[in-house]
Each structure stands twice: as C-alpha cells, then as structure tokens.
Amino acid sequence: MIQICNLTRTQKQRWVRCLSCPILSTNSNKSLVSKSYLLQIIKHQIPRTPIKKMSTASFTSNFFGTGCFWKDESRISTVKKQNEGKVFVKCVVNTKTQKTEKAVRIGVLGASGYTGSEIVRLLACHPHFGITLMSTDRKAGQSIGSVFPHLVTQDLPDMVAIKDANFSDVDAVFCCLPHGTTQEIIKALPRSLKIVDLSADFRLRDISEYEEWYGQAHRAPDLQKEVVYGLTEVLREEIKSARLVANPGCYPTSIQLPLVPLIKANLIEYRNIIIDAKSGVSGAGRGAKEANLYTEIAEGIYSYGITRHRHVPEIEQGLSDAANSKITVSFTPHLMPMIRGMQ
Ligand SMILES: NC(=O)C1=CN([C@@H]2O[C@H](COP(=O)(O)OP(=O)(O)OC[C@H]3O[C@@H](n4cnc5c(N)ncnc54)[C@H](OP(=O)(O)O)[C@@H]3O)[C@@H](O)[C@H]2O)C=CC1
Ligand SMILES: CC(=O)N[C@@H](CCC(=O)OP(=O)(O)O)C(=O)O
C-alpha cells in the first residue's frame, strides 16, 4: 500500500498513473499497487534523499518529472517506513498482485506514441495480457523505457519497425497509428489476429463519408464491411466476437455515452443538438506541431475545426443509429491548456 500525503488530488492521480502497474484500489490517499514497482520507487529515493526530508515540490519533480526508477530490487530489506516530515510514503508490500501466466499475447503498433504507451501501461501488468511486440516508426531498436521513462521497470521487448515485426507469437493487436496510415497496415496483418484499431480509419461505415472528411481514398473497403464500432456500452455483444474493432474517437465517445441513452429513451428532441466540447493537448498526439506548442495553447481556451471537425460524421453516425433516423449536430471542439481530460 502506498500512502501519499500533502499532495493535491491531481498530483496524486498523476502519481498513481505514473506507477504504470495494477491499481488494486484507490481512495483519497491510498492506492494498492504491485510489489515490484513499489520496490523501484522506494529504492530510487531512499539511498539519495530520504523521502521524509523532501519538499512536496522535489518529491513531485522526482516522481512525476524523471519517472526514473531502477531495476535492481536488492535493497528492499533496508526499507522500513518513512512517516515524518511534509511528505511521506508508507509501504506495505502486497504480494498478491504478482503476475502469473499471460493468456493473451499482445502486439502494440505505435507503442512510442501517446495512445500506444497508454495501452502498454494498462496491459503490462495485466493478469491475462502479455506484450510480446511493440512497434515504432523512428525509434526502432529502442526500449520503451527510453522513450517513456515511467515504463522503464516493465520487462518488455525492444520496439521494432512494423516491417520487421514478427507476429508469430501475437494473438491480438492494438493499432495506435496515425489515421491515413492504418488501413494499409491492417490489411497486411495476418487474418488470425484480433485487432483493435484506435485510429479513425475504420470508424465510418460509409466509405464516401470517410473520403470526404479525411480527404483521402479508403484503402481497405473490403475490411470496412467486417468492422464493429467499439463503443462497448452500445455494442458489447458484437465486440466480443469481432475480429476488427474500430475504437471510437475521444469526442464521439464523450458525446455518445450521455446522448445515446437519452435518444433511445426518447427523452430529448433530436433537432438542434448543440455540443460544446473541451479536450487536452495529448489528443493531438506526440508529434511536434506548431499549433500545440506551449506558447500557442497556454493561458486560453481555443475553438477549432468549427463546423468541419472530422468527428462530426462519427458523432452523427452513432446518434442516428440510436434514433433510427438521421440526426445532425452542431459541434464545436476546444483545446484546453492541459495535457488530458480523461483520467
Ligand atoms: N491521443 C489521443 O488522445 C487519441 C488518439 N487517437 C488516435 O490514435 C492514433 C494514434 O494517436 P497518438 O497515439 O496520439 O499518436 P502519436 O503521434 O502520439 O503516435 C503515433 C505512433 O505511430 C507511429 N507512426 C507514425 N507514423 C507511422 C508510420 N507511417 N508507420 C508506422 N508507424 C508510424 C509513431 O512512431 P514514432 O514515435 O517513431 O514517430 C508512434 O508510435 C491516431 O490515429 C489518433 O487519431 C485515438 C484516441 C485518443
Ligand atoms: C487536441 C486534438 O487535436 N484532438 C484531436 C482528437 C483526438 C482524438 O482522440 O480523436 P481521434 O481518436 O480521432 O484521434 C482532434 O481534434 O483531431
């Protein structure tokens, strides 16, 4: 058990997320996490600056900023309890969280990006999933820990280029690649694989709509026919048996989850639905873009894509399915000066 004090709620949430291990339970100031990760955290700090002497600011920057945890676990026997000072960490090792066999072998394509690294974080310590393959475009040969320090303690294979990927020990793939590149890549994957595609490339049933909103020809129209739209709350049974799942976009998810039940229950008027949405900057991916520089996005809320955002047809597709009639919406997305909205 890790107990963190004198940090704000947001700092605690971020710290818990940085742990990249199974969170067994969490409340306002306690989180159960796996033994091995806990050892890295303690070992990294104890020999240098005792946690009890650290200010909240240095604790925060050490854990949030560098994310630099060691692999050697040999010093655990020296660790007792630190419970004085402004910030303290109380440790009770929970051995029940140790992993056993991994039933499903996972490949993560685009592991060096934001969505890919989140998938890795969620699955690396999962009791049933083991990551056997990770791909990257520019960082082939590097470890995931070298591009995402908070994942350094995970025992994972180095990343490879997709052209060098070996899918023989992979059962399922999470495809976390930019839209526009994904159709060709998924088309070339072995048919035996189950695939969850996080990009927008297979979300729109109507291929002409894809071409209109994404500005390029659909490169796998045959595959499109077998796709299941991955909004679990709406299509749970279909998703269970699907081979290729198109994961919904961030805005369409946040919009459909509240509106679909209201529409199905006939509780709202379908005409004149106005959606004002806010998102964090990580939604734009990890690649450098001028529009996402700190100087561009800080200290303000910016609307963008007004009337022409590519999520409009996806939102309308989902809401129209729920209503059994054509629904159109007025959708205005905004960029907030924060990393992410969803925790
Ligand atoms: N960010 C978000 O909140 C969400 C994003 N999405 C969607 O998920 C997909 C991935 O987004 P995100 O993780 O943010 O993107 P990032 O830009 O953060 O990551 C893209 C990943 O794809 C790799 N890559 C880039 N180009 C190619 C290529 N031509 N061939 C093979 N690999 C390539 C990159 O490798 P390298 O690091 O070497 O460049 C990186 O691993 C996108 O389609 C996005 O629209 C979906 C839901 C949420
Ligand atoms: C800030 C920002 O640029 N956000 C992205 C949406 C992010 C997202 O998750 O949507 P996809 O899954 O379709 O990528 C955008 O507006 O295009």
Side-chain angles (χ1 to χ4, degrees), residues 34-44 69-79 93 95 98-99 153-155:
S34 80
K35 177 185 171 188
S36 61
Y37 210 90
L38 186 55
L39 302 188
Q40 314 310 326
I41 296 161
I42 296 161
K43 254 182 31 57
H44 177 61
F69 305 121
W70 295 355
K71 282 200 166 178
D72 176 10
E73 297 188 355
S74 62
R75 290 184 61 124
I76 181 59
S77 58
T78 66
V79 176
V93 172
T95 50
Q98 297 307 295
K99 291 169 278 182
T153 56
Q154 302 297 342
D155 187 15

Side-chain angles (χ1 to χ4, degrees), residues 21-26 31-34 94 96-97:
C21 58
I23 306 299
L24 300 184
S25 75
T26 184
S31 304
L32 287 179
V33 301
S34 80
N94 187 320
K96 288 188 187 146
T97 64

Side-chain angles (χ1 to χ4, degrees), residues 81-132:
K81 191 165 38 168
Q82 307 284 325
N83 61 357
E84 296 169 21
K86 269 181 88 182
V87 176
F88 68 87
V89 175
K90 178 181 167 191
C91 313
V92 178
V93 172
N94 187 320
T95 50
K96 288 188 187 146
T97 64
Q98 297 307 295
K99 291 169 278 182
T100 51
E101 274 181 21
K102 302 293 194 175
V104 187
R105 299 164 302 171
I106 300 291
V108 181
L109 303 186
S112 55
Y114 283 154
T115 53
S117 65
E118 277 296 274
I119 297 284
V120 171
R121 183 182 71 82
L122 292 168
L123 296 189
C125 293
H126 194 282
H128 305 307
F129 296 103
I131 295 173
T132 50

Side-chain angles (χ1 to χ4, degrees), residues 13 23 33 39 74 99 134 167 180 186 193 229 282 287 310 336:
Q13 282 173 349
I23 306 299
V33 301
L39 302 188
S74 62
K99 291 169 278 182
M134 294 187 296
F167 290 96
I186 289 186
L193 294 174
Y229 186 71
S282 70
R310 63 191 172 84
M336 297 275 284

Side-chain angles (χ1 to χ4, degrees), residues 174-191:
F174 285 87
C175 198
C176 308
L177 306 170
H179 53 258
T181 62
T182 303
Q183 290 157 356
E184 298 270 19
I185 288 169
I186 289 186
K187 202 162 66 173
L189 293 177
R191 287 284 306 175

Side-chain angles (χ1 to χ4, degrees), residues 6-240:
N6 287 0
L7 297 180
T8 65
R9 187 164 165 270
T10 310
Q11 285 171 329
K12 280 176 201 157
Q13 282 173 349
R14 288 188 63 188
W15 195 60
V16 164
R17 210 171 63 231
C18 279
L19 297 176
S20 72
C21 58
I23 306 299
L24 300 184
S25 75
T26 184
N27 60 29
S28 59
N29 66 354
K30 289 178 188 168
S31 304
L32 287 179
V33 301
S34 80
K35 177 185 171 188
S36 61
Y37 210 90
L38 186 55
L39 302 188
Q40 314 310 326
I41 296 161
I42 296 161
K43 254 182 31 57
H44 177 61
Q45 290 303 327
I46 297 293
R48 301 178 179 196
T49 318
I51 290 169
K52 63 184 177 184
K53 290 194 182 147
M54 237 183 257
S55 70
T56 303
S58 60
F59 180 87
T60 305
S61 78
N62 273 324
F63 287 120
F64 298 177
T66 66
C68 177
F69 305 121
W70 295 355
K71 282 200 166 178
D72 176 10
E73 297 188 355
S74 62
R75 290 184 61 124
I76 181 59
S77 58
T78 66
V79 176
K80 298 288 186 207
K81 191 165 38 168
Q82 307 284 325
N83 61 357
E84 296 169 21
K86 269 181 88 182
V87 176
F88 68 87
V89 175
K90 178 181 167 191
C91 313
V92 178
V93 172
N94 187 320
T95 50
K96 288 188 187 146
T97 64
Q98 297 307 295
K99 291 169 278 182
T100 51
E101 274 181 21
K102 302 293 194 175
V104 187
R105 299 164 302 171
I106 300 291
V108 181
L109 303 186
S112 55
Y114 283 154
T115 53
S117 65
E118 277 296 274
I119 297 284
V120 171
R121 183 182 71 82
L122 292 168
L123 296 189
C125 293
H126 194 282
H128 305 307
F129 296 103
I131 295 173
T132 50
L133 170 72
M134 294 187 296
S135 89
T136 178
D137 187 30
R138 296 163 298 160
K139 295 163 184 147
Q142 294 187 36
S143 67
I144 190 79
S146 68
V147 296
F148 285 108
H150 66 283
L151 296 171
V152 77
T153 56
Q154 302 297 342
D155 187 15
L156 294 168
D158 284 347
M159 295 182 290
V160 296
I162 293 180
K163 66 177 174 44
D164 301 323
N166 173 8
F167 290 96
S168 62
D169 59 352
V170 176
D171 302 311
V173 159
F174 285 87
C175 198
C176 308
L177 306 170
H179 53 258
T181 62
T182 303
Q183 290 157 356
E184 298 270 19
I185 288 169
I186 289 186
K187 202 162 66 173
L189 293 177
R191 287 284 306 175
S192 57
L193 294 174
K194 294 236 178 201
I195 302 162
V196 178
D197 178 27
L198 276 77
S199 87
D201 270 6
F202 290 100
R203 292 177 195 157
L204 297 178
R205 275 196 306 268
D206 183 340
I207 283 168
S208 62
E209 225 171 24
Y210 174 84
E211 296 180 350
E212 178 192 341
W213 288 84
Y214 286 85
Q216 62 177 57
H218 198 298
R219 295 186 176 91
D222 287 344
L223 273 184
Q224 187 65 54
K225 293 177 197 142
E226 65 170 287
V227 170
V228 173
Y229 186 71
L231 197 59
T232 317
E233 288 76 0
V234 176
L235 291 166
R236 188 176 298 274
E237 289 310 312
E238 293 84 343
I239 290 167
K240 280 184 192 166

